[in-house]
Amino acid sequence: SGDYRNIAYYSNLPAFADPLRATNGVVLNEQALDTRRKIGDWRLDLLPDHVFQPYLEYEHNADNGNGVATFVANANEYPVNNLTRDSNENYRGGVRIELPRLHVKLEQGGTTFKDAEQLNAGAGSTNYGNFFSPILGQTLDLTSLSEAYGVRGHSIFTDLSFSANPVAWADIYGSFLYSEPVSNVHFQGLDTGSQVLLSQVLFYTGEQNLISSISKLPHTSANLGAEIRPFTRVRLIPSWFTDRMHTTGSSVGQQTLTTTAGAVPLASLLNSTLVENSNQVEMNVFVDVLHNLTVRGGYRYVWGNASDGILPIAGLTGYEQGKIRRNVEIAGVSWHPIHNAWLNLDFENGSSGSTYFRTSLYNYQKARFRGRHQINSSFSVSASASVLNNQNPSPGVKYDFLTHQESASFQYSPSGGKYWDFEGAYTRSTLRSNITYLDPEFLITDVSFYRDNSHTISGMFDINMPGWLGYKTKLALGGSAFLASGSNPTTFYQPAAKLSVVLGKHVSWQSEWRYYGFGESFYVYQGFRTEMVTTGVRITR
C-alpha cells in the first residue's frame, strides 16, 4: 500500500508581528512562507493470513521553499529573506505473531532528520528594522547578513507488545518501548551594520557567530495490565505504567564583535541535563449488581521525580528538582433502566502531596455523566455533563480552578434515513481560574483572573435524492457556531455544504464547500475569513 501527497503552501497575511504598520504605515508580514511539502508512505505486508506476518514500512516527509523571517540582534529585529529546507525519513520493520491465545508484535526501526535554514540580506542596502528611535544617539541598522544553521538527527526505536488469553478467566497485555534520538546542531552567522549589545552598552559594526551543540535523549516506557474474572459478576482490572526519560545536552559557541577599539571575542559553554521518571499503578473492580446495573470502584497512585541542571549556573538557579505524589479514589455506575437506554456516571477524587507545576491537578474532584435513549428506530437523544474542581492551597500559588460543561444532542432519521435525516447538538461550558503570580516588572504578588462562558451549536441536514439528474445524489447542509464571552470574547462560524453524486457502479463525484469565520473582540488583528472548496472523483474496484 502507498500514499503520496504534494502540497504547495503560501502565506503572506500581514496580521501578526507587524510593528512597521504602527510606526510608518508599511504593511509587511515578517513571517511569510512560500513552500512545497512532499509526503509519502509506503508499506509492504507479507503473508497477511499466516501465523508469522512480516512487514516493512518507509515514510518520507520533506519541505523546501522561501519566505520572510526576522534576524534578531539584541535591541532590534530585521525582516530579511529566508530559505528553508527540511526532511524526515522513517524506516521500520517487524513481524506480528497471531496465535489463538497469543498476539505479539516485534518491531525495530529508525529515523533520520535534517533541517536547514538561511537568512540573507545583500550588501549595498540598509535595513533599519523595526526600531527607528536612536539608542544613546545612534541609529541601529543592518547592511549585510549571511546566517545559516543545520540540524542533523537520527534515532533508533524498539516496540514490543503482546496480548494473551492464557486461561478462560484472565486476559493480560503489555508493551515495551525504547528510543534514543541524537541531534547535532551547527550554526554560523556573519552580519554588518550598526548594532548594540545592551547588556554591556557596547556598540559594534560587525558580528561573527559559530555554535555547535549535541543532545541525546534515551527514553524508556512500559506498561502491563490484565483483566481477571474470578467470579461471574466480578472483574478485576489491575494496571502498571512507567516512563523514564533522561536527557543530556551540551553546546559551545564563539562570538566575535567588531568595534572601533578592535575585535571583542565572547565564548560560551553550556551543559544541561533533564531526568524525569513517572510511575502509576491502578486497580479497578467492576461488579454486576443486577443484570442492568454495574458499579465500579478503584484506586490510583501516581508518583515520580524530575530534576534538571544547567552549567555554568546563570540567572536565579542552575539546579531544580521536583516530585509528584497523588492518590486518587475512583467510582462509577453504569445503568440500563429501560430497553435502548443507558446512563453512565464516573467520579474521581484526588489529593496530592506535591506536583511539578502550579496549574497541575492537586486536590481535585472530577465527575462525568453520560446518557442516551433510542426512543424509536428513527429518533434518539443523548446528554452529557462534566465538572472539574481543582484547588492548590500552597503558599504563593492559591490556585482555584472550576470548569463544567453540559451538552445535548439528537438524531432524527425517518424511514431509516431513506430520504433525509438531521443531527443537532448544543453545548454550554463555563471556565473560571484564579491564581496568584509574581509581577515580573514590579516583583509584587498579584492575582490572575480568567473567565470564559461559551455556547457551541452544530447541525447537519442530509438529503437523499435518488433520481436527481438520473443519478443517486446526496446533499448535506449545516455547520457549527462557537460563541464565547468573558476574558476573551470569541466567535467562530463554520458553515458547510457537501454534494455527492454516484456516476456509476465504481465511480462517484464529490464536492465540498466550507467557510471559516473567526473573530476576537480584544485581538481584532487575529480574525480571519476563509473559504475552502474541494472537488474530486473517487474510483473503486
Side-chain angles (χ1 to χ4, degrees):
S1 60
D3 178 77
Y4 174 77
R5 304 181 186 188
N6 194 325
I7 303 172
Y9 177 73
Y10 178 81
S11 173
N12 191 28
L13 296 175
F16 178 71
D18 187 13
L20 297 181
R21 184 176 184 179
T23 55
N24 56 15
V26 176
V27 178
L28 173 65
N29 182 16
E30 300 185 359
Q31 302 293 332
L33 286 174
D34 185 6
T35 65
R36 183 174 293 275
R37 181 167 294 277
K38 299 179 181 180
I39 304 173
D41 185 359
W42 312 96
R43 183 182 177 94
L44 173 65
D45 289 280
L46 301 172
L47 309 175
D49 298 324
H50 291 67
V51 174
F52 293 92
Q53 303 176 14
Y55 64 90
L56 296 170
E57 187 171 2
Y58 167 68
E59 299 175 2
H60 170 76
N61 190 331
D63 179 87
N64 67 86
N66 55 69
V68 177
T70 55
F71 168 66
V72 181
N74 294 301
N76 205 345
E77 297 182 1
Y78 304 88
V80 295
N81 295 326
N82 180 28
L83 299 177
T84 63
R85 183 175 70 254
D86 67 75
S87 65
N88 183 47
E89 317 289 337
N90 193 352
Y91 314 85
R92 66 178 71 200
V95 60
R96 281 190 294 270
I97 303 173
E98 301 291 342
L99 295 171
R101 289 182 175 270
L102 177 65
H103 307 276
V104 180
K105 185 181 79 168
L106 309 173
E107 182 178 280
Q108 182 68 40
T111 63
T112 60
F113 175 76
K114 298 179 181 179
D115 185 14
E117 184 171 350
Q118 297 180 12
L119 297 180
N120 296 287
S125 61
T126 302
N127 187 337
Y128 292 100
N130 298 328
F131 189 75
F132 295 92
S133 300
I135 295 181
L136 299 178
Q138 188 165 330
T139 302
L140 305 180
D141 60 53
L142 178 70
T143 55
S144 68
L145 171 68
S146 177
E147 184 178 270
Y149 80 83
V151 182
R152 299 292 184 270
H154 64 272
S155 173
I156 59 171
F157 59 86
T158 302
D159 182 359
L160 307 177
S161 61
F162 78 95
S163 61
N165 176 227
V167 293
W169 47 270
D171 298 310
I172 59 174
Y173 65 89
S175 67
F176 171 82
L177 300 173
Y178 174 77
S179 63
E180 188 176 359
V182 178
S183 65
N184 294 272
V185 179
H186 299 281
F187 172 85
Q188 58 183 5
L190 180 64
D191 62 90
T192 61
S194 178
Q195 306 293 338
V196 61
L197 186 62
L198 291 177
S199 59
Q200 302 182 20
V201 194
L202 177 64
F203 287 92
Y204 59 93
T205 58
E207 177 186 21
Q208 183 181 29
N209 271 303
L210 297 173
I211 302 174
S212 295
S213 66
I214 184 172
S215 63
K216 182 180 292 187
L217 194 156
H219 188 186
T220 304
S221 63
N223 71 83
L224 187 65
E227 179 177 325
I228 304 171
R229 300 172 290 275
F231 308 104
T232 303
R233 293 178 176 269
V234 178
R235 289 178 294 153
L236 307 177
I237 303 181
S239 64
W240 166 81
F241 170 79
T242 184
D243 185 89
R244 300 176 179 273
M245 181 179 67
H246 298 182
T247 307
T248 59
S250 63
S251 70
V252 58
Q254 178 67 47
Q255 181 185 26
T256 303
L257 304 180
T258 302
T259 68
T260 56
V264 179
L266 301 173
S268 63
L269 178 65
L270 180 67
N271 292 278
S272 63
T273 62
L274 171 64
V275 177
E276 189 268 339
N277 300 311
S278 296
N279 306 276
Q280 176 179 302
V281 292
E282 183 172 339
M283 170 64 79
N284 284 281
V285 181
F286 293 80
V287 179
D288 297 329
V289 180
L290 301 172
H291 73 281
N292 63 346
L293 177 63
T294 301
V295 297
R296 174 170 68 110
Y299 171 75
R300 181 190 308 135
Y301 180 60
V302 181
W303 76 100
N305 61 81
S307 63
D308 69 80
I310 300 176
L311 293 175
I313 297 176
L316 298 178
T317 182
Y319 179 77
E320 293 181 304
Q321 59 180 342
K323 296 181 179 180
I324 182 172
R325 298 291 186 271
R326 181 179 299 136
N327 296 275
V328 182
E329 296 96 23
I330 305 170
V333 176
S334 180
W335 183 36
H336 294 264
I338 59 176
H339 182 63
N340 291 334
W342 61 267
L343 300 173
N344 191 49
L345 176 63
D346 297 305
F347 176 77
E348 287 186 12
N349 180 60
S351 59
S352 302
S354 59
T355 189
Y356 294 144
F357 307 105
R358 293 159 51 88
T359 55
S360 297
L361 291 177
Y362 200 86
N363 297 332
Y364 74 94
Q365 298 79 40
K366 180 168 64 174
R368 184 180 183 184
F369 163 81
R370 291 169 294 171
R372 187 174 186 273
H373 184 202
Q374 186 74 38
I375 298 176
N376 53 49
S377 60
S378 302
F379 189 56
S380 66
V381 295
S382 60
S384 65
S386 62
V387 60
L388 171 62
N389 180 37
N390 184 34
Q391 308 283 331
N392 186 343
S394 302
V397 179
K398 296 182 180 180
Y399 183 45
D400 179 15
F401 179 87
L402 174 65
T403 179
H404 58 86
Q405 175 178 293
E406 301 80 33
S407 63
S409 64
F410 71 94
Q411 184 175 8
Y412 184 48
S413 304
S415 303
K418 182 178 180 180
Y419 299 104
W420 63 275
D421 63 76
F422 181 78
E423 182 177 356
Y426 169 76
T427 300
R428 161 70 174 174
S429 62
T430 298
L431 184 147
R432 184 195 72 198
S433 173
N434 300 332
I435 188 171
T436 60
Y437 71 100
L438 186 64
D439 189 315
E441 183 176 2
F442 301 103
L443 297 180
I444 60 175
T445 301
D446 205 344
V447 180
S448 171
F449 300 94
Y450 187 85
R451 302 291 184 270
D452 183 83
N453 302 298
S454 65
H455 305 266
T456 304
I457 305 171
S458 63
M460 186 62 66
F461 187 62
D462 294 324
I463 307 173
N464 294 315
M465 300 177 289
W468 188 66
L469 297 179
Y471 299 104
K472 184 179 179 181
T473 305
K474 185 175 182 179
L475 177 65
L477 301 171
S480 63
F482 174 81
L483 309 172
S485 61
S487 300
N488 185 21
T490 305
T491 59
F492 191 23
Y493 301 99
Q494 300 180 73
K498 183 176 181 179
L499 178 66
S500 176
V501 181
V502 179
L503 303 176
K505 185 178 181 181
H506 303 289
V507 181
S508 63
W509 171 53
Q510 295 183 355
S511 293
E512 185 175 359
W513 168 82
R514 287 185 177 273
Y515 174 84
Y516 303 89
F518 179 83
E520 293 179 318
S521 299
F522 298 152
Y523 306 94
V524 179
Y525 62 88
Q526 293 189 160
F528 63 85
R529 306 289 183 268
T530 300
E531 289 186 83
M532 182 175 68
V533 178
T534 59
T535 186
V537 176
R538 177 177 295 177
I539 302 174
T540 59
R541 294 293 296 174

